[in-house]
Amino acid sequence: MAYEEDVETRRVQVRFVTKLQAPLKAPTTSIAIPSDLTRLGLSSVVNNLIKAGNSDWEPQPFDFLIDGELVRMSLEQFLLAKGISAEKVLEIEYIKAVAPRKQEDPCLHDDWVSAVSGSNPGFILTGCYDGFGRVWKGGSCTHILEGHGDAITSISIINQKGAKSSLTTHVATASKDRTVRLWKFDAEEPTNNVRAFKILRGHSSSVQSVAPQPSGEMVCSGSWDSTINLWQTNESDSDGDLVSVKKRKVNSKVEESQLEGEAVSSLVGHTQCVSSVVWPEERTIYSASWDHSIRSWDVETGRDVLSLFCGKVLNDLDVGGDSSALIAAGGSDPVLRIWDPRKSGSSAPVLQFASHSSWITACKWHDSSRQHLLSSSYDGKVMLWDLRTAWPLAVIESHKDKVLCADWWGGDSVVSGGADSNLCISSEVSIL
């Protein structure tokens, strides 16, 4: 029993260090702490150290790194698992804990929220099973994108180079009605309904995903017909992209024209539904499919230059992380997988996160961090991940049903939509 008591009361010498600026800096002198402390206990120690030099300090949660790895067990267990000696002074780095500190009021839709984009910090875009796209600012819907004949499956902002007005936002949507539509509006001028200025037809089945080229000159779309189509985003008919100009009569007045565009080219190779596409570099498109594969395509040649197979139906992928080279994907099991295509000789994932309990519907890298990404699932949860630990940093349970889509917004918020017809916003997430 004496030995057990010694283990329980064992103390280790540690020094807390941080890259955070004042007033978040604690003294770096070494102190002795109990080895059975977990993350919460370590947070209490650091908060007390800071408060000793600042009586007005309000405690906040921290995360802790030893040799570049996040601590997700007691200090004693971590040192034992990693074979780290506790005989010398242990250096522990602390960072802000990554978890939302606030839940905004949800934005209710008329049907399932199936698509969301947070890429503009001034507003949020959603796509819904009622066929409408919506623009949200300050908890209110300011614009409705009207015209699709079925559920919107994907929504994305197009960065238009040389646009006539910097106030004009260009958006692409994909739908189960087999079309991709392009829209433009002034986000600062609320209007009730916005009609697409261009309708892109050519897929023979539901369009599941749409992604813009970084230059904004084109978009690509993935469909249930197993193909990826490339489309021009221009507003003129000077390049032969124009098929027809449609005008609509309403109350004896002719509304503005709508262009109809044909695909510039198609990328063929998948054998089942193309569920997700991303276009991170001018000449490279990535796609995920229900045929269990991820492919990378050379836009100029139309050939796939990389194929990864995981044995599971894939619903979503994103490219980011270290050097914007890591591929994250999720699908018909609870596992979020990460590939590094720079590692030759193996197509196996370099990391697998398995805390969800059902299909993964979305995954998204953080724009400004090489370590952080999120995932959403049919289990009703959104999880925040850090590549330095196998456990989720935070589990967001703001939905009452399946989560169908999720994204980062403004660098410090997570937006998500689901089968409860809600857009949920989890804010004040300390990533950096």
Side-chain angles (χ1 to χ4, degrees):
M1 287 297 294
Y3 174 74
E4 290 179 6
E5 287 174 7
D6 286 342
V7 171
E8 287 179 10
T9 58
R10 183 181 178 193
R11 300 176 81 80
V12 292
Q13 290 287 126
V14 304
R15 179 186 296 114
F16 289 102
V17 298
T18 188
K19 296 184 179 73
L20 299 172
Q21 301 301 310
L24 295 165
K25 280 188 178 293
T28 56
T29 51
S30 66
I31 59 172
I33 61 173
S35 63
D36 60 355
L37 290 183
T38 59
R39 184 166 59 106
L40 292 176
L42 293 170
S43 262
S44 294
V45 172
V46 169
N47 277 298
N48 287 334
L49 289 171
I50 297 173
K51 191 173 180 65
N54 179 3
S55 58
D56 296 328
W57 176 252
E58 292 292 332
Q60 62 174 276
F62 293 103
D63 264 318
F64 299 87
L65 293 145
I66 298 176
D67 289 346
E69 187 167 344
L70 280 161
V71 178
R72 277 295 184 270
M73 53 190 78
S74 74
L75 203 51
E76 180 84 32
Q77 291 169 322
F78 186 90
L79 297 180
L80 189 62
K82 302 300 175 184
I84 299 172
S85 170
E87 300 305 314
K88 56 182 181 179
V89 177
L90 185 66
E91 191 169 274
I92 303 177
E93 180 184 356
Y94 65 94
I95 58 178
K96 287 183 178 181
V98 175
R101 289 165 171 77
K102 186 179 179 184
Q103 292 290 337
E104 310 290 345
D105 291 335
C107 302
L108 183 62
H109 292 59
D110 294 333
D111 209 332
W112 291 11
V113 181
S114 43
V116 66
S117 171
S119 57
N120 187 302
F123 57 83
I124 303 164
L125 292 170
T126 58
C128 184
Y129 261 65
D130 62 10
F132 294 111
R134 290 174 174 84
V135 183
W136 298 87
K137 290 184 69 174
S140 299
C141 178
T142 59
H143 301 70
I144 295 177
L145 311 184
E146 178 190 49
H148 277 298
D150 207 335
I152 292 177
T153 53
S154 180
I155 191 164
S156 188
I157 289 178
I158 305 167
N159 294 317
Q160 281 280 356
K161 287 187 177 177
K164 294 176 184 176
S165 169
S166 59
L167 297 176
T168 302
T169 300
H170 287 73
V171 170
T173 54
S175 170
K176 291 179 180 289
D177 68 7
R178 301 182 293 181
T179 71
V180 172
R181 297 184 185 226
L182 306 181
W183 319 74
K184 58 182 179 177
F185 56 86
D186 183 348
E188 300 301 318
E189 289 290 334
T191 55
N192 287 330
N193 292 9
V194 180
R195 292 178 62 241
F197 70 84
K198 197 171 190 179
I199 303 171
L200 308 177
R201 303 184 192 276
H203 282 298
S204 60
S205 192
S206 171
V207 189
Q208 295 299 105
S209 181
V210 63
Q213 189 177 23
S215 67
E217 294 176 4
M218 302 176 75
V219 295
C220 67
S221 56
S223 168
W224 267 104
D225 63 17
S226 306
T227 67
I228 300 162
N229 282 353
L230 278 61
W231 317 83
Q232 295 280 359
T233 61
N234 61 299
E235 298 178 40
S236 70
D237 57 359
S238 59
D239 64 348
D241 181 44
L242 186 68
V243 172
S244 65
V245 176
K246 284 196 170 184
K247 295 192 177 184
R248 188 171 68 166
K249 264 192 173 181
V250 179
N251 297 330
S252 300
K253 292 183 180 179
V254 179
E255 289 194 351
E256 64 182 275
S257 60
Q258 281 181 299
L259 302 175
E260 285 203 1
E262 289 181 329
V264 176
S265 61
S266 289
L267 306 177
V268 179
H270 283 297
T271 58
Q272 290 193 47
C273 167
V274 180
S275 52
S276 182
V277 288
V278 292
W279 200 336
E281 301 165 14
E282 287 298 316
R283 58 177 292 169
T284 306
I285 290 170
Y286 291 84
S287 59
S289 170
W290 281 37
D291 66 11
H292 303 177
S293 76
I294 293 169
R295 297 177 191 241
S296 171
W297 305 82
D298 185 302
V299 172
E300 291 186 11
T301 65
R303 301 172 67 177
D304 74 81
V305 294
L306 172 73
S307 295
L308 301 170
F309 292 87
C310 75
K312 296 291 179 183
V313 161
L314 292 170
N315 290 326
D316 195 58
L317 90 159
D318 195 28
V319 176
D322 184 27
S323 300
S324 296
L326 302 181
I327 302 168
S332 63
D333 68 0
V335 183
L336 176 64
R337 295 174 173 85
I338 314 289
W339 287 266
D340 187 345
R342 299 169 297 182
K343 293 185 181 295
S344 59
S346 173
S347 62
V350 292
L351 289 168
Q352 299 188 76
F353 300 126
S355 292
H356 281 296
S357 59
S358 189
W359 284 37
I360 290 174
T361 54
C363 55
K364 191 75 175 179
W365 292 98
H366 192 278
D367 284 342
S368 306
S369 170
R370 55 187 284 188
Q371 306 286 358
H372 295 96
L373 70 161
L374 60 75
S375 61
S376 63
S377 168
Y378 282 173
D379 64 13
K381 299 171 183 175
V382 177
M383 295 190 181
L384 308 187
W385 303 93
D386 187 311
L387 300 188
R388 295 168 291 189
T389 179
W391 289 272
L393 297 178
V395 180
I396 301 171
E397 300 185 73
S398 51
H399 288 279
K400 300 180 179 67
D401 205 331
K402 300 184 185 82
V403 185
L404 304 177
C405 53
D407 197 4
W408 300 98
W409 181 46
D412 66 349
S413 296
V414 173
V415 291
S416 56
D420 58 4
S421 302
N422 276 327
L423 164 68
C424 292
I425 305 168
S426 306
S427 58
E428 298 181 21
V429 182
S430 300
I431 290 291
L432 303 174

